[in-house]
């Protein structure tokens, strides 16, 4: 019998009371998480549960010749081992394996054949009555391969770069050249020409990818999957296995971080469903930390940026080209270079973006995909240009400030970047910064101050929401959104509570279930602008219906009111009329109509005709202080000020937390994170948190977050934009620029490890995986 306990529905703590948009409301899901009531994908139980452990390939390219399973099958408790030779029936066409965010090409199909496309590819699933038996048996599976030559080295294959397909949601290829960038560059008096390199990064959220499939007696599958969209996972399962949508429910009520790793369904989902269909029982598959390195990652990327300016700092030419990795199967693409045509005013801009096919799994979006690399290179190049001009880096940016995207000839919907510069610089004390490198020191540490600009898209999708107001004043709002730790539960409840004039503890927001009204995948910093607008829209429909019902109340207390005149406050419809204030309790309105509940539904569609007239973006100005040990090259980021323009802030506390997390990751990108490849094996080697370095508590010091005033009704009816990505963009560049100010050494590859910081400027060219080549 399956465990059918209901998922926890997070509700605000008693006494939270009435809220306004922007209030610093604590997470409504906080208690459930810290007390263990919140159950994640691998924590749902069933009496008939079988446990699956994945066996991964040890070669990067070739074919499976033979699989030796007898020893594993002999382990007590093992019930089956699935491989490409005995998997349940799945569909064959690429179309059925394309999820809602898939790029062009042929998606990876687990167990579809004997071909090996990358090291770590799943080749078997051991199923047993206990996890321990499955894990031990998996260690006994041996595989014979016919190995083929592989290639995992981007920098040795730049000549194979090609222009990729543009078929990926959210991807905009570089615009056509404006002016004559090369001629302007050649004619300019001041110029910089630099290359930049970023190694592979892996997402490594705390919760590892897992899928629990609970199979009912009638064959219905209730699936708990670590995903950024329950509906995307259901889409994949239904299509791959040919199952009716009514036979599959996917839930993700709690997600322990994802950062883009859950945008596409990972292979654990398909394998867990295979196991459940094969055994006709419930199955759980949990990936190990090491196996978290066997699917997508932030792609290795090489870039070249050329900037030219007149003597007064006016940009004359911007040329930015990037080459990134993709897999043999798909054209994974990111918006890397386009930012260089938007951030600054310049009449001559040339941008190019290409990819190289390598024997890796397809990369996938990671927090601020594309911008994390492209803006990084641009902002270091701008710092280099400032020094070539003997000009303050902030002054150079203000000199070339742009109110519109010249490539598209469009204005920004709102752009308070100038306010970010002003407020961030004032808070940081930028005016006290000496221009010359190596001019500040304390003991054996050189001190440097650097800054950078950030930009990210302000996106809005479409979404549905439903709302049910009960006679006891309880409001339940629903949408198949996701909360990957960003605070979706809280902000949506806050929007609804404010709209209906109800205390937070009387409002429940339901999410994380594929049967709920359609919502987009949680990604791209679009959830508040999209789902939040749907929530406010459905609440407005409730308001209008309640107002219409109230007009028929005995005594007609609202007879002289118009809808525009009323307010929903304190659980009532309130009207300040000529004869005095009137407050009609919502319970009285429902009671008089003989209703115990009132339900409305709403479809939120972006105003495309209006939005396409503008460039919609969030902006930031990041100011950073580093201290560099002159003897050892170790870097401490001791102070960061991040000034953010992201529309109206719906919850100051949660928005600040998002920016703090982004800054921490930016420090990790700058100084710590890289996945190293042994190209002889074609395999990622430091696949654990012991060897893959992320920023720890000791690496993080003072972080100050400023939200400048901004209200963008083009992006959303709330005036809000997303904050998930913008906190990361620009941070690593600010750290790099601060390192140069401290040491006089320019580091153009990430992470900026002590060996690079200690080297003379320009000693390191774009290298990879920790093994860099002399320029």
């Amino acid at each position: 019998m399956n465990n059918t306990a209901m998922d926890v529905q997070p509700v605000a703590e008693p006494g939270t009371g009435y809220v306004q948009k922007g209030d610093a409301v604590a997470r409504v899901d906080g208690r459930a998480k810290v007390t263990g009531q919140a159950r994640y994908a691998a924590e749902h139980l069933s009496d008939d549960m079988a446990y699956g452990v994945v066996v991964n390939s040890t070669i990067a390219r070739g074919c499976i010749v033979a699989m030796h399973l007898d020893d594993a099958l002999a382990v007590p408790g093992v019930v089956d081992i699935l491989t490409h030779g005995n998997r349940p029936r799945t569909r064959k066409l690429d179309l059925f394996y394309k999820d809602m965010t898939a790029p062009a090409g042929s998606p990876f199909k687990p167990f579809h054949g004997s071909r090996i496309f990358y090291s770590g590819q799943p080749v078997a699933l051991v199923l047993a009555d206990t996890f321990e038996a499955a894990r031990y048996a998996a260690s006994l599976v041996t595989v014979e391969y016919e190995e083929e030559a592989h290639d995992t080295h981007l920098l040795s294959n730049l000549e194979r770069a090609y222009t990729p397909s543009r078929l990926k949601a959210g991807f905009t290829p570089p615009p056509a050249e404006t002016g004559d960038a090369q001629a302007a560059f050649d004619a300019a008096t001041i110029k910089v020409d630099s290359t930049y390199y970023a190694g592979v990064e892996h997402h490594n959220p705390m919760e590892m990818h897992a899928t629990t499939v609970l199979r009912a007696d009638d064959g219905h599958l209730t699936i708990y999957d670590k995903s950024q969209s329950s509906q995307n996972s259901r889409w994949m399962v239904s299509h791959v296995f040919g199952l009716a949508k009514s036979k599959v429910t996917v839930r993700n009520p709690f997600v322990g971080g994802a950062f883009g790793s859950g945008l596409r369904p990972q292979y654990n989902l398909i394998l867990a469903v295979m196991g459940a269909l094969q055994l006709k029982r419930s199955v759980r598959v949990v990936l190990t930390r090491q196996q978290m390195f066997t699917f997508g990652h932030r792609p290795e990327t090489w870039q070249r940026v050329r900037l030219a300016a007149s003597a007064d700092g006016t940009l004359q030419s911007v040329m930015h080209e990037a080459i990134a990795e993709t897999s043999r199967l798909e054209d994974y693409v990111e918006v890397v270079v386009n930012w260089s045509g938007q951030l600054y005013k310049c009449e001559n801009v040339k941008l190019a973006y290409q990819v190289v096919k390598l024997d890796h799994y397809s990369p996938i979006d990671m927090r601020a995909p594309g911008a994390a690399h492209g803006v990084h290179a641009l902002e270091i190049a701008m710092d280099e240009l400032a020094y070539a001009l003997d000009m303050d880096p902030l002054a150079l940016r203000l000199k070339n400030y742009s109110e519109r995207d010249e490539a598209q000839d469009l204005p920004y919907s709102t752009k308070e970047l100038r306010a970010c510069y002003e407020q961030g610089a004032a808070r940081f004390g930028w005016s006290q910064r000496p221009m010359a490198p190596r001019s500040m020191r304390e003991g054996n540490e050189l001190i440097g101050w650097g800054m950078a600009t950030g930009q990210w898209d302000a996106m809005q999708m479409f979404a549905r929401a439903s709302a049910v107001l009960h006679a006891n004043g309880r409001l339940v709002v629903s949408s198949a959104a996701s909360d990957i730790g960003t605070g979706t539960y809280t902000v949506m409840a806050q929007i609804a509570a404010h709209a209906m004039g109800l205390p937070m503890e009387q409002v429940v927001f339901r999410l994380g279930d594929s049967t709920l009204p359609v919502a987009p995948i949680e990604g791209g910093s679009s959830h508040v602008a999209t789902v939040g607008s749907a929530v406010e829209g459905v609440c407005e429909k409730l308001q209008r219906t309640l107002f219409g019902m109230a007009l028929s109340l005995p005594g007609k207390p609202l007879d002289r009111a118009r809808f525009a005149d009323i307010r929903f406050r304190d659980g009532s419809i309130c009207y300040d009329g000529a004869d005095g204030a009137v407050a009609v309790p919502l319970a009285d309105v429902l009671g008089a109509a003989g209703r115990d509940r009132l339900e409305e539904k709403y479809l939120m569609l972006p105003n495309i005709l209006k939005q396409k007239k503008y460039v919609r973006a969030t902006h930031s100005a990041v100011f950073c202080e580093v201290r560099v040990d002159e003897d050892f090259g170790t870097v401490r980021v001791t102070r960061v000020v991040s000034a953010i323009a992201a529309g109206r802030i719906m919850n100051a506390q949660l928005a600040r937390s998002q920016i703090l997390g982004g800054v921490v990751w930016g420090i990790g990108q700058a100084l710590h994170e890289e996945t190293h490849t042994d190209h002889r094996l074609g395999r990622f080697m430091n696949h654990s948190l012991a060897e893959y370095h992320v920023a720890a508590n000791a690496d993080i010091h003072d972080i100050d977050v400023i939200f400048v005033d901004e209200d963008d009704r083009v992006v959303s009816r709330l005036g809000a934009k997303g904050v998930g990505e913008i906190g990361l963009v620009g941070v690593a560049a600010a750290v790099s620029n601060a390192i140069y100010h401290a040491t006089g050494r320019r580091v153009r590859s990430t992470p900026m490890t002590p060996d690079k910081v200690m080297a003379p400027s320009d000693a390191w060219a774009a290298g990879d995986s920790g093994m860099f080549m002399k320029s």
Side-chain angles (χ1 to χ4, degrees):
M1 172 182 275
N2 288 335
N3 180 340
T4 56
M6 294 294 291
D7 295 318
V8 172
Q9 295 296 331
V11 182
E13 293 293 302
T16 301
Y18 299 96
V19 298
Q20 301 292 322
K21 292 175 186 173
D23 284 355
V25 178
R27 291 175 180 271
V28 301
D29 51 330
R31 176 175 290 272
K33 289 180 174 178
V34 300
T35 59
Q37 296 178 69
R39 292 192 294 175
Y40 294 83
E43 295 182 316
H44 295 268
L45 303 174
S46 173
D47 294 340
D48 67 339
M49 185 74 71
Y51 298 83
V53 171
V54 178
V55 179
N56 302 86
S57 72
T58 58
I59 67 168
R61 188 175 184 181
C63 285
I64 298 172
V65 174
M67 302 189 73
H68 302 288
L69 310 177
D70 290 346
D71 289 346
L73 286 168
V75 173
V78 171
V79 293
D80 206 346
I81 300 177
L82 299 184
T83 70
H84 68 281
N86 68 337
R87 59 169 170 78
R89 175 187 171 276
T90 58
R91 288 167 156 175
K92 297 180 180 179
L93 297 179
D94 289 346
L95 177 65
F96 298 121
Y97 286 81
K98 282 188 175 291
D99 70 282
M100 297 176 185
T101 65
S106 177
F108 172 67
K109 308 179 187 70
F111 293 5
H112 194 70
S114 61
R115 288 290 310 168
I116 299 298
F117 297 100
Y118 70 97
S119 181
Q121 177 177 321
V123 295
L125 178 69
V126 178
L127 295 161
D129 292 327
T130 65
F131 169 72
E132 291 77 11
R135 182 174 60 178
Y136 175 62
S139 70
L140 302 179
V141 172
T142 59
V143 184
E144 293 182 31
Y145 302 98
E146 181 179 319
E147 191 169 1
E148 300 173 10
H150 64 266
D151 203 334
T152 53
H153 196 252
L154 174 68
L155 297 175
S156 297
N157 291 279
L158 297 179
E159 74 284 351
R160 292 202 291 112
Y162 64 94
T163 301
S165 169
R166 60 183 296 171
L167 296 177
K168 179 180 182 289
F171 176 68
T172 302
E177 180 178 5
T178 59
D180 190 335
Q182 186 63 59
F185 183 84
D186 292 339
T189 57
I190 308 294
K191 61 190 76 175
V192 298
D193 182 350
S194 299
T195 58
Y196 304 87
Y197 171 80
V200 168
E201 293 177 67
H202 276 83
H203 303 71
N204 278 310
M206 287 298 291
E207 181 199 11
M208 293 174 288
H209 276 266
T211 304
T212 300
V213 182
L214 303 180
R215 184 183 182 276
D217 293 339
D218 62 359
H220 185 278
L221 303 181
T222 299
I223 302 171
Y224 288 89
D225 187 45
K226 181 188 173 72
S227 170
Q228 291 174 241
S229 170
S230 59
Q231 292 177 331
N232 195 27
S233 292
R234 182 185 65 183
W235 172 286
M236 173 72 85
V237 170
S238 296
H239 285 77
V240 168
F241 295 97
L243 299 173
K245 188 169 68 172
S246 61
K247 300 293 287 184
V248 180
T249 300
V250 177
R251 293 175 180 161
N252 63 331
F254 296 99
V255 181
F259 315 117
S261 66
L263 290 173
R264 302 188 70 179
Q266 302 304 341
Y267 64 74
N268 49 280
L269 172 63
I270 300 301
L271 298 189
V273 175
M274 281 185 183
L277 296 177
Q278 180 84 351
L279 302 182
K280 294 184 172 55
R281 60 189 282 194
S282 301
V283 169
R284 175 188 296 162
V285 175
V286 183
L287 301 187
T288 65
R289 179 59 61 184
Q290 289 71 30
Q291 288 169 334
M292 293 289 286
F293 290 77
T294 62
F295 52 86
H297 52 270
R298 197 192 295 279
E300 184 180 10
T301 305
W302 172 93
Q303 299 178 80
R304 182 185 183 189
V305 180
R306 286 171 284 177
L307 303 178
S310 57
D312 68 351
T314 301
L315 278 171
Q316 301 294 317
S317 176
V318 174
M319 290 187 284
H320 188 173
E321 58 184 304
I323 300 176
E325 61 159 315
T326 188
S327 69
R328 300 281 184 183
L329 295 172
E330 295 176 306
D331 277 2
Y332 173 78
V333 290
E334 293 182 341
V335 177
V336 178
V337 299
N338 302 26
W339 318 99
S340 293
Q342 291 184 349
L343 263 176
Y344 303 110
K345 186 177 182 179
C346 185
E347 296 179 354
N348 304 289
V349 179
K350 184 177 182 181
L351 309 173
Y353 173 73
Q354 295 183 304
V355 295
V356 172
K357 287 188 179 295
L358 296 176
D359 296 303
H360 281 313
Y361 191 95
S362 294
I364 54 177
D365 292 349
M366 182 184 283
R367 196 172 192 171
H373 286 159
V375 175
H376 174 81
L378 172 66
E379 287 301 290
I380 296 176
M382 285 292 286
D383 198 71
E384 295 189 54
L385 183 63
Y387 276 95
L389 289 160
D390 193 24
M391 188 174 185
D392 178 81
L394 176 55
L396 176 63
R397 287 163 173 82
L398 290 169
K399 173 73 175 179
N400 294 283
Y401 193 89
S402 177
E403 297 290 356
R404 57 192 301 113
D405 179 346
E406 295 182 10
Q408 301 181 69
D409 193 27
L410 293 174
Y412 286 89
S413 54
T414 54
K415 184 180 181 181
E416 293 296 334
L417 176 57
R418 196 182 299 276
C420 291
Y421 287 145
E422 293 171 355
Q423 295 180 34
R427 184 78 60 86
F428 187 82
W430 186 260
S431 63
Q432 304 302 311
R433 175 184 182 270
M435 182 69 180
R438 302 182 67 87
S439 56
M440 295 193 294
R441 173 192 293 273
E442 187 172 296
N444 204 44
E445 288 186 315
L446 297 167
I447 301 172
W449 290 2
M451 62 85 56
T453 308
Q455 180 170 315
W456 180 254
D457 293 327
M459 293 182 279
Q460 187 184 50
M461 316 298 183
F462 75 92
R464 292 183 182 273
S466 67
V468 179
L469 178 65
H470 296 268
N472 63 1
R474 185 170 183 263
L475 175 66
V476 179
V477 184
S478 303
S479 184
S482 297
D483 190 339
I484 60 174
T486 53
T488 306
Y489 276 116
T490 308
V491 172
M492 299 307 161
Q494 191 172 350
I495 292 169
H498 172 74
M500 299 306 300
L502 296 172
M504 277 284 287
E505 52 265 37
Q506 288 183 215
V507 179
V508 174
F509 183 69
R510 298 175 62 229
L511 57 71
D513 189 317
S514 62
T515 64
L516 297 176
V518 65
I521 297 172
E522 205 281 2
S525 300
S526 63
H527 241 35
V528 167
T530 303
V531 181
S533 292
V535 168
E536 187 173 78
V538 76
C539 288
E540 182 181 323
K541 287 189 72 174
L542 275 180
Q543 291 174 345
R544 291 183 179 276
T545 302
L546 287 163
F547 176 64
M549 295 165 61
L551 292 177
S552 302
L553 286 171
K556 298 188 179 297
L558 299 177
D559 188 46
R560 296 184 181 183
R562 298 174 304 165
F563 181 75
D565 299 328
I566 65 170
R567 297 292 180 269
F568 283 73
R569 294 194 306 264
D570 303 331
S572 300
I573 304 175
C574 299
Y575 170 59
D576 295 326
D579 298 330
V582 176
V584 180
L586 301 183
D588 291 354
V589 177
L590 290 175
R595 305 279 292 271
D596 62 355
R597 67 199 301 269
L598 178 64
E599 181 174 5
E600 293 289 356
K601 298 179 181 180
Y602 181 78
L603 170 62
M604 199 295 299
L605 294 173
N607 188 340
I608 297 175
L609 293 178
K610 182 179 181 180
Q611 291 180 347
K612 73 177 185 178
K613 298 177 183 178
Y614 300 92
V615 174
R616 292 162 288 133
T618 55
H619 296 93
S620 68
V622 186
F623 297 84
C624 170
E625 176 183 273
V626 302
R627 292 174 179 249
V628 183
D629 187 296
E630 192 169 21
D631 294 330
F632 296 101
T634 53
V635 179
R636 295 192 299 134
V637 179
T638 49
R639 193 160 59 96
V640 176
V641 173
S642 180
I644 305 292
R648 294 180 69 200
I649 300 302
M650 295 290 100
N651 184 312
Q653 179 174 326
L654 298 187
R656 179 177 181 272
S657 293
Q658 283 291 290
I659 302 303
L660 292 177
V663 170
V664 170
W665 200 338
I667 293 171
Q669 177 191 0
L671 302 178
H672 305 288
E673 293 195 43
E674 183 179 16
T675 316
H676 299 283
T677 302
D678 186 328
H679 297 297
R680 299 166 301 175
L681 302 174
R683 181 184 301 177
F684 296 127
M685 301 306 293
N686 56 325
H687 46 82
S688 71
L689 289 182
E691 297 173 297
Y692 180 92
H693 293 169
V694 298
N697 286 347
D699 299 307
I700 306 303
H701 300 275
D702 294 339
I703 302 174
D704 195 355
V705 179
I706 301 169
F707 290 109
V708 306
D709 290 337
E710 191 175 58
D711 190 338
D712 197 323
R713 302 299 169 132
V714 174
V715 171
S716 72
R717 62 180 288 160
L718 300 166
K721 304 176 183 178
V723 299
E725 261 88 3
I726 190 61
L728 168 66
V729 183
V731 175
V735 173
S736 176
N737 295 337
I739 290 173
Y740 178 77
H741 185 239
T743 66
R745 302 181 184 121
R746 185 67 69 179
V747 184
R748 300 187 182 90
S749 61
T750 56
M752 292 170 278
T753 48
D755 55 328
K756 301 177 194 176
V757 174
M758 290 287 287
S761 288
D762 297 321
W764 303 102
D768 101 302
S769 298
M771 296 175 285
F772 293 81
M773 302 175 292
K774 292 283 185 177
S775 59

